Amino acid sequence: MRYEDFHRQSIEDPEGFWAEQAKAIHWHKAPERILDYSRPPFRKWFVGGETNLCFNAVDRHLDERGDQLALVGYSTETNSVRELTYRELHREVNAFAAVLQSLGVGKGDRVVIYMPHTVDAVFAMLACARIGAIHSVVFGGFASLNLALRIDDARPTLLVCADAGIRGGKVLPFKPLVDEALARAQFPPRHVLVVNRGLAPSLDLVPGRDLEYGPLREQHLDADVPVTWLESNEPSYILYTSGTTGKPKGVQRDVGGYAVALALSMWSIYDVRAGQVMFSTSDIGWVVGHSYNVYGPLIAGATSILYEGLPTTPDAGIWWKICERYGVRTMFSSPTAVRVLKKQDAAYLTRYDLSKLQYLFLAGEPLDEPTVEWITQGLGKTVIDNYWQTETGWPVVSLMPGLDMKPVKFGSPGLPVPGYDLRLINEATGEDVGVDEKGVLVIRPPLPPGCLSTVWNNDERFLAGYFGHFREQLYSSLDWATRDAEGYTFILGRTDDVINVAGHRLGTREIEESVSSHPGVAEAAVIGVHDAVKGQVPVVFATLKRLPGADEDEHETAREMLQTVADQLGAVARPSRVYVVNALPKTRSGKLLRRSLQALAEQRDPGDLSTLDDPSALEEVRRALERGPEAGS
Ligand code: AMP
């Protein structure tokens, strides 16, 4: 079918379109209504239908492909490979689900999963889905404050963690971070379940609270845990993401809509069908990990590969070696990862037999032309940029080789995905912009299946944060974009204070709050500054409290600020540089002029300064930039 017809049908007759797509998954009870849009912008897809993500991802395939590989956990950190067929995966998930039940976890309870990118984490996620518990995976690179904030918002019954992660050969024990987070949290879970990989020197189990998974697994290895059927709109998981405030928001996903959207995306966008192999280099802590390491490929009956390790260990050929070994058809990664590989010998790209590999999809951050050109030429494969967000759960703008491949235009992720009625709106007037004019990318509701249902426990934030920007009730992506005459969309960057570091979304306010918690700091501004490999890096401008009589060493305080962020939020959020200044540039009403700060740090024109309160503050910043940072490099 032509892309244009498919997309048009999804917008003109959404109920007909999605009723057809819903046939791709198993329904225990068929939906009574395809769409309920009686309370806009909230919408319910497949109302009255009953299904289960775990059943669709695992049980459903047992008869036809029980002995096919479902999951591969390939780690160059522990030098191990774990391969599981659908039958073996079924057994592990049942055992995990039985353990969860033995700890009192049931339908609607939250389970925080704080684990590295391993198959055990997938067992835990699928086990939650099986019994109707709501998982909330917290990225293993986050530290205790980030974990505590998420615990207090989700109020879990149980926390599942591993003893340790490992990166670049360095073991990072998780349990001390969990203990710290639980000491901080107001609503700690009853139990902590520790999956012991044998990496951390000790587990320090707290009697009565902490349990080791291994012995419990043994007890429940032959368990057969019945699937809990869920109404399509019940929550399946919460995934926290950064916004404009210091508090992360819990993106809440449903069950049926998510399964149907993923099923559609697997064949039409990623061109992966049952029996084929998909390799996403993301992490289960991010939305790509949820959708295309776990649920998407498994719902499709494909094989999913999880990789733990650096892209350059033992050498920069490791990903292509994995592609050869498993016959990967579609690979999914990020522009940052490609920029890392670009610093290595291009010969690695052709060292292995990649005859089965058809596509490399890249997402999560802007894909610059030199990067896409380099990898397209080096691999000799189709490279497809795709644009989406944690909130949407699956692509919004992409090309669709499984349906009808359109030409790639470097710099653009392509065309709107079926289900998405996209518009570009002038921020001031609320009107649609013209061809090649810059506007805010918005989705005309109802949002398609797969996108967030609401913000966990916070409908107001869902309404105000996403739908409160224009006169018309439109979902704002908070991204700028343009569209050319052929309808190709070009993404230009965020309209808010969110920054994108190596494809990871970070809130500058969260980092500012962390920096400001240092007793020597009076005020801090954090901005994202262009970086050749990571896209952006966080940079701090701070003023210090000049405590009377304090013998202040600015360099020492600046170094401590970096450490504070790493300790509280995690290494991913650690700023790259700290500049100490006497004043921060602000408007007369006291608002920080972040855009001007960012422009100066990127050696660009600071723009309109008519609202600047104190011109000397800007001079201060210029001098600090010339002098160089007090900490970082
Ligand atoms: P996250 O929710 O972490 O996936 O981050 C979503 C944000 O990343 C989007 O709002 C964009 O700002 C950015 N982003 C994601 N994919 C792309 C892309 N293909 N091109 C440009 N920016 C992107």
Side-chain angles (χ1 to χ4, degrees):
M1 191 191 248
R2 283 174 67 229
Y3 157 79
E4 290 80 358
D5 298 333
F6 203 57
H7 186 263
R8 191 176 319 110
Q9 195 204 337
S10 76
I11 303 304
E12 288 176 358
D13 176 21
E15 295 192 49
F17 180 87
W18 288 108
E20 192 57 34
Q21 303 312 319
K23 293 179 185 161
I25 70 158
H26 172 85
W27 294 93
H28 176 66
K29 180 168 169 277
E32 288 154 17
R33 274 180 76 183
I34 299 303
L35 173 64
D36 173 357
Y37 196 45
S38 54
R39 200 166 65 99
F42 296 94
R43 87 298 183 216
K44 289 181 172 176
W45 287 101
F46 311 118
V47 184
E50 287 180 8
T51 185
N52 180 287
L53 284 174
C54 179
F55 184 89
N56 275 284
V58 186
D59 305 53
R60 190 184 184 202
H61 306 302
L62 291 178
D63 284 347
E64 224 175 299
R65 51 192 73 255
D67 297 321
Q68 176 200 307
L69 275 188
L71 205 57
V72 176
Y74 197 108
S75 173
T76 53
E77 297 288 358
T78 56
N79 285 321
S80 63
V81 180
R82 289 174 72 186
E83 297 177 341
L84 292 109
T85 63
Y86 272 97
R87 208 175 308 289
E88 288 162 341
L89 177 61
H90 182 256
R91 189 165 187 237
E92 292 296 340
V93 170
N94 271 280
F96 215 113
V99 172
L100 293 182
Q101 285 183 330
S102 75
L103 296 175
V105 179
K107 183 179 162 187
D109 291 337
R110 275 79 60 210
V111 175
V112 165
I113 299 177
Y114 181 57
M115 293 184 76
H117 195 53
T118 58
V119 292
D120 303 292
V122 181
F123 305 158
M125 291 167 76
L126 291 169
C128 288
R130 186 169 198 84
I131 62 171
I134 301 167
H135 62 66
S136 180
V137 180
V138 177
F139 174 54
F142 283 148
S144 58
L145 176 67
N146 261 329
L147 183 56
L149 284 172
R150 286 156 174 77
I151 289 172
D152 279 341
D153 195 68
R155 304 194 184 182
T157 307
L158 176 76
L159 184 145
V160 183
C161 70
D163 60 330
I166 172 166
R167 188 148 179 88
K170 195 169 158 236
V171 172
L172 309 160
F174 278 15
K175 188 64 190 352
L177 297 176
V178 169
D179 290 341
E180 230 177 280
L182 296 197
R184 271 177 195 269
Q186 279 181 25
F187 302 100
R190 272 201 305 272
H191 291 295
V192 175
L193 184 63
V194 187
V195 177
N196 190 0
R197 311 173 73 194
L199 293 173
S202 68
L203 297 181
D204 291 328
L205 298 180
V206 174
R209 188 195 73 182
D210 303 349
L211 300 130
E212 220 186 303
Y213 177 66
L216 293 175
R217 172 182 173 272
E218 293 297 319
Q219 286 172 28
H220 294 279
L221 247 192
D222 292 313
D224 198 352
V225 177
V227 163
T228 301
W229 299 108
L230 299 170
E231 199 277 338
S232 180
N233 294 280
E234 292 189 82
S236 57
Y237 70 74
I238 310 168
L239 181 57
Y240 286 88
T241 190
S242 296
T244 357
T245 70
K247 205 168 159 266
K249 45 193 170 189
V251 164
Q252 178 180 322
R253 201 88 64 206
D254 68 0
V255 179
Y258 187 50
V260 171
L262 291 182
L264 168 64
S265 70
M266 283 303 297
W267 69 263
S268 65
I269 300 178
Y270 299 106
D271 200 10
V272 173
R273 289 163 176 81
Q276 297 178 329
V277 185
M278 182 160 187
F279 174 19
S280 158
T281 68
S282 185
D283 184 285
I284 45 124
W286 307 111
V287 67
V288 179
H290 282 62
S291 294
Y292 298 109
N293 274 116
V294 184
Y295 292 112
L298 296 179
I299 286 172
T303 302
S304 174
I305 297 179
L306 274 57
Y307 175 72
E308 183 188 37
L310 302 175
T312 48
T313 305
D315 61 47
I318 181 63
W319 286 355
W320 318 115
K321 183 176 167 181
I322 293 174
C323 285
E324 178 186 88
R325 172 158 167 188
Y326 293 99
V328 171
R329 174 178 177 80
T330 293
M331 178 146 173
F332 192 134
S333 193
S334 68
T336 290
V338 176
R339 288 191 291 263
V340 168
L341 295 180
K342 201 169 152 213
K343 293 186 152 187
Q344 311 281 326
D345 189 350
Y348 284 117
L349 301 177
T350 47
R351 184 165 294 179
Y352 297 94
D353 174 6
L354 297 183
S355 50
K356 290 241 175 87
L357 186 69
Q358 300 296 313
Y359 315 99
L360 171 64
F361 284 81
L362 298 171
E365 53 177 319
L367 174 59
D368 56 290
E369 275 193 51
T371 302
V372 67
E373 268 173 37
W374 179 81
I375 193 73
T376 304
Q377 276 172 17
L379 279 180
K381 305 286 176 187
T382 306
V383 178
I384 300 178
D385 182 4
N386 61 146
Y387 163 85
W388 46 298
Q389 309 179 303
T390 305
E391 288 84 349
T392 67
W394 64 297
V396 178
V397 182
S398 183
L399 296 179
M400 306 184 69
L403 175 76
D404 172 19
M405 184 63 181
K406 299 288 182 193
V408 171
K409 280 192 194 179
F410 287 160
S412 167
L415 303 162
V417 165
Y420 290 97
D421 190 358
L422 294 188
R423 287 167 60 187
L424 298 189
I425 299 287
N426 179 301
E427 199 187 26
T429 64
E431 304 290 328
D432 291 74
V433 300
V435 168
D436 293 332
E437 273 181 53
K438 178 172 161 178
V440 180
L441 181 71
V442 303
I443 305 168
R444 201 166 68 93
L447 294 175
C451 294
L452 78 171
S453 326
T454 184
V455 172
W456 173 254
N457 239 338
N458 203 339
D459 284 351
E460 294 75 35
R461 201 168 173 193
F462 174 71
L463 288 171
Y466 298 108
F467 290 92
H469 297 267
F470 302 101
R471 265 192 320 274
E472 240 180 293
Q473 206 172 45
L474 298 166
Y475 169 92
S476 175
S477 67
L478 303 170
D479 278 307
W480 295 109
T482 58
R483 193 148 53 187
D484 73 7
E486 288 176 297
Y488 279 69
T489 303
F490 294 76
I491 309 293
L492 306 175
R494 299 281 302 189
T495 65
D496 61 2
D497 296 327
V498 163
I499 61 173
N500 198 316
V501 179
H504 304 328
R505 174 160 153 192
L506 301 173
T508 49
R509 294 286 158 86
E510 291 164 47
I511 307 177
E512 276 167 11
E513 284 182 17
S514 177
V515 170
S516 303
S517 73
H518 184 288
V521 174
E523 199 179 7
V526 172
I527 50 163
V529 174
H530 174 75
D531 179 85
V533 175
K534 296 180 174 175
Q536 284 187 312
V537 289
V539 168
V540 183
F541 290 85
T543 59
L544 302 185
K545 287 180 196 156
R546 311 246 163 219
L547 299 172
D551 182 12
E552 231 164 310
D553 178 344
E554 291 183 351
H555 290 281
E556 184 53 29
T557 310
R559 275 194 293 274
E560 285 167 11
M561 286 182 220
L562 295 183
Q563 198 52 44
T564 304
V565 178
D567 290 346
Q568 292 185 352
L569 304 183
V572 276
R574 189 178 189 273
S576 113
R577 300 187 280 283
V578 178
Y579 296 91
V580 174
V581 288
N582 285 320
L584 292 168
K586 289 187 183 170
T587 62
R588 276 181 281 278
S589 56
K591 263 183 81 178
L592 267 171
L593 282 167
R594 293 157 191 284
R595 305 256 169 240
S596 305
L597 263 180
Q598 184 187 25
L600 286 178
E602 292 178 345
Q603 280 141 26
R604 288 185 286 114
D605 177 0
D608 178 15
L609 294 173
S610 56
T611 56
L612 182 65
D613 183 35
D614 171 12
S616 72
L618 216 61
E619 278 317 306
E620 263 284 308
V621 169
R622 281 205 176 95
R623 275 198 300 275
L625 287 164
E626 269 169 33
R627 207 172 53 229
E630 269 66 36
S633 55

